Amino acid sequence: MRIFWQSFIDQTASASYMRRLTDYLNAIAEPGTTVDVHGISPPDRSFGRLSEFRCAILAIDNGIQAELQGYDAVVMGHFQDPGLYELKSAVSIPVVGTGEATLHFAAQMGRRIALVTLDDVFRSMHLEQGDLYGLAGRISHVKGLNADPSDFSACFAGDEEAKTRMLDAFRACAEPLVQDGADVVVPAGVLPGLLIGGEYGLRIGHAPVINCAAVALKSAEMQVRLKALNGIEPSRGPWCAKAPQQAIDDFRALVAGGRGQSGGGSMR
């Protein structure tokens, strides 16, 4: 089984993180499964909707190419899942959204879900995810660490003091949420998810902490196995109809060549 993991982090600028993520995912994968982690350059930065949208376009194009290259599944390794449904409509292999898979798993671990996200700017997006995935009534808290991806670099490069500081910051952010009634804590991002991935049995008070990186990978493996077993795939009715080949070709031409190749007019 070959899994294409799409990160929204720069492969070079965050090399220590990308190596750690690749090593971790392949270490926990089932025998015979390989996970290839790919970044985006420029990465998701200047956080906000436009940056998410730009990265989603590139992730969708990469996911289409991954299917052509023989991958068995694609993981959208970015908790906000931008472009998730569009990619599901464009390919026949399983596509797993880290946010979608993790939130549904967390809903089985506790009633009230607290999200600790990278930055408060993502709060509205996570609440919208709750609506989209039918879990709006289950997400009780969303709180930002207000950290930058580069803040994790030292942790993943082996700096134990930096790791301790980030774990302490995570706990300080999550503890008031649990005291206010949260049953389960979700680090809403693969960066913090990987940070706590090695902390076996981590809890904040009574609340288990969910490792979104592990959940996303195991969900992808499960979907590949189930597709092989009984041919299951997303509904191809109005919810996620398969895109016509012309739509896929037009999209890829736009990504590859910009407006000139796609035939779209410019306002300049």
Side-chain angles (χ1 to χ4, degrees), residues 99-116:
E100 183 180 46
T102 303
L103 288 174
H104 281 288
F105 180 76
Q108 300 174 66
M109 299 294 107
R111 182 71 191 174
R112 305 184 76 204
I113 303 169
L115 304 185
V116 177

Side-chain angles (χ1 to χ4, degrees), residues 1 94 217-228 232:
M1 185 188 306
L217 175 59
K218 293 305 172 182
S219 296
E221 290 179 322
M222 179 184 70
Q223 288 200 29
V224 172
R225 299 298 186 202
L226 289 174
K227 184 177 182 184
I232 192 71

Side-chain angles (χ1 to χ4, degrees), residues 16-266:
S16 59
Y17 162 71
M18 298 295 272
R19 284 194 300 270
R20 178 65 66 87
L21 179 60
T22 298
D23 291 345
Y24 175 73
L25 293 173
N26 282 282
I28 67 171
E30 296 299 317
T33 295
T34 58
V35 186
D36 295 328
V37 179
H38 296 264
I40 285 178
S41 184
D44 189 15
R45 60 187 184 183
S46 301
F47 295 145
R49 292 188 184 275
L50 190 58
S51 182
E52 296 282 303
F53 184 67
R54 173 184 61 81
C55 291
I57 291 171
L58 298 174
I60 294 166
D61 190 61
N62 289 345
I64 295 170
Q65 185 63 28
E67 180 179 40
L68 295 175
Q69 292 177 350
Y71 283 92
D72 298 293
V74 175
V75 174
M76 191 72 77
H78 182 68
F79 199 94
Q80 287 82 328
D81 295 339
L84 175 63
Y85 288 175
E86 290 78 10
L87 181 54
K88 286 185 179 186
S89 78
V91 298
S92 297
I93 58 176
V95 178
V96 172
T98 296
E100 183 180 46
T102 303
L103 288 174
H104 281 288
F105 180 76
Q108 300 174 66
M109 299 294 107
R111 182 71 191 174
R112 305 184 76 204
I113 303 169
L115 304 185
V116 177
T117 187
L118 195 63
D119 192 283
D120 278 323
V121 73
F122 295 125
R123 185 173 188 276
S124 292
M125 298 179 200
H126 292 318
L127 294 175
E128 289 168 8
Q129 282 183 286
D131 289 336
L132 185 62
Y133 302 151
L135 295 169
R138 305 290 293 276
I139 297 177
S140 58
H141 305 78
V142 183
K143 178 66 176 176
L145 278 170
N146 296 319
D148 188 85
S150 61
D151 295 335
F152 292 85
S153 296
C155 302
F156 299 127
D159 187 330
E160 290 299 320
E161 289 186 6
K163 180 179 178 181
T164 298
R165 287 196 301 272
M166 291 304 298
L167 284 170
D168 287 346
F170 176 82
R171 290 189 180 94
C173 192
E175 284 172 353
L177 311 183
V178 176
Q179 292 169 3
D180 194 45
D183 299 308
V184 57
V185 176
V186 175
V190 177
L191 276 163
L194 183 61
L195 177 69
I196 61 93
E199 304 300 304
Y200 183 83
L202 180 63
R203 291 176 177 267
I204 305 297
H206 59 263
V209 179
I210 307 299
N211 178 354
C212 62
V215 170
L217 175 59
K218 293 305 172 182
S219 296
E221 290 179 322
M222 179 184 70
Q223 288 200 29
V224 172
R225 299 298 186 202
L226 289 174
K227 184 177 182 184
L229 182 67
N230 55 28
I232 192 71
E233 66 175 46
S235 171
R236 294 309 185 187
W239 176 75
C240 202
K242 192 70 186 296
Q245 188 60 46
Q246 183 179 56
I248 294 172
D249 292 343
D250 288 346
F251 176 83
R252 302 207 74 192
L254 175 63
V255 175
R259 294 187 180 193
Q261 291 293 323
S262 67
S266 174

